[in-house]
Amino acid sequence: MPEFWEIAVEAPIQEALTYAASENIEPEAGGQGYNIQRGLFVNVPLGKRTVKGLVLRKSSFPPIEFEAKKILSVLPDFNLLPEPFLQWIEWLSHYY
């Protein structure tokens, strides 16, 4: 069964979107696979296009009202964001 993750996408959407991930996602340029974790940058489908997204957290529940699309790939050129920075980003998103 896939895991479900909440991802902030590069689009004018205020809420994180839920995507499915298998255990080992391939990086964009090939090479060693990744386990999805908080702070990774990924490519995800959004409508008819592909956008970048930031993995925020594991979803507590699988989506019921829709079938979650799959995370396409991990962006290997971006480092994993450290936890204090992620907490600051989340604080900013609630403050503004």
Side-chain angles (χ1 to χ4, degrees), residues 22-40:
S22 59
E23 284 187 24
N24 214 359
I25 302 287
E26 291 300 319
E28 185 177 50
Q32 184 179 4
Y34 288 89
N35 288 324
I36 297 299
Q37 58 183 316
R38 179 173 160 82
L40 273 179

Side-chain angles (χ1 to χ4, degrees), residues 8 10 13 15 18 20 26 29 32-33 38 40-41 44 47-48 50 60 66 74 78 80 82 84 86 90 94-95:
E10 189 177 50
I13 299 174
E15 300 293 324
T18 302
E26 291 300 319
Q32 184 179 4
R38 179 173 160 82
L40 273 179
F41 285 94
V44 293
K48 295 181 180 181
T50 298
S60 302
F66 60 92
V74 172
F78 294 92
L80 182 70
L86 290 168
E90 289 174 329
H94 291 105
Y95 187 79

Side-chain angles (χ1 to χ4, degrees), residues 40-61:
L40 273 179
F41 285 94
V42 293
N43 280 321
V44 293
L46 183 63
K48 295 181 180 181
R49 60 193 171 126
T50 298
V51 296
K52 292 181 183 93
L54 174 63
V55 178
L56 296 177
R57 69 190 66 81
K58 198 175 220 181
S59 183
S60 302
F61 303 100

Side-chain angles (χ1 to χ4, degrees), residues 67-80:
E67 184 178 341
K69 294 182 179 182
K70 292 184 180 180
I71 296 172
L72 301 174
S73 63
V74 172
L75 296 169
D77 294 340
F78 294 92
N79 292 328
L80 182 70

Side-chain angles (χ1 to χ4, degrees), residues 38 54 56-57 81-96:
R38 179 173 160 82
L54 174 63
L56 296 177
R57 69 190 66 81
L81 292 181
E83 187 60 31
F85 190 74
L86 290 168
Q87 291 173 359
W88 180 67
I89 289 171
E90 289 174 329
W91 178 82
L92 283 174
S93 73
H94 291 105
Y95 187 79
Y96 289 102

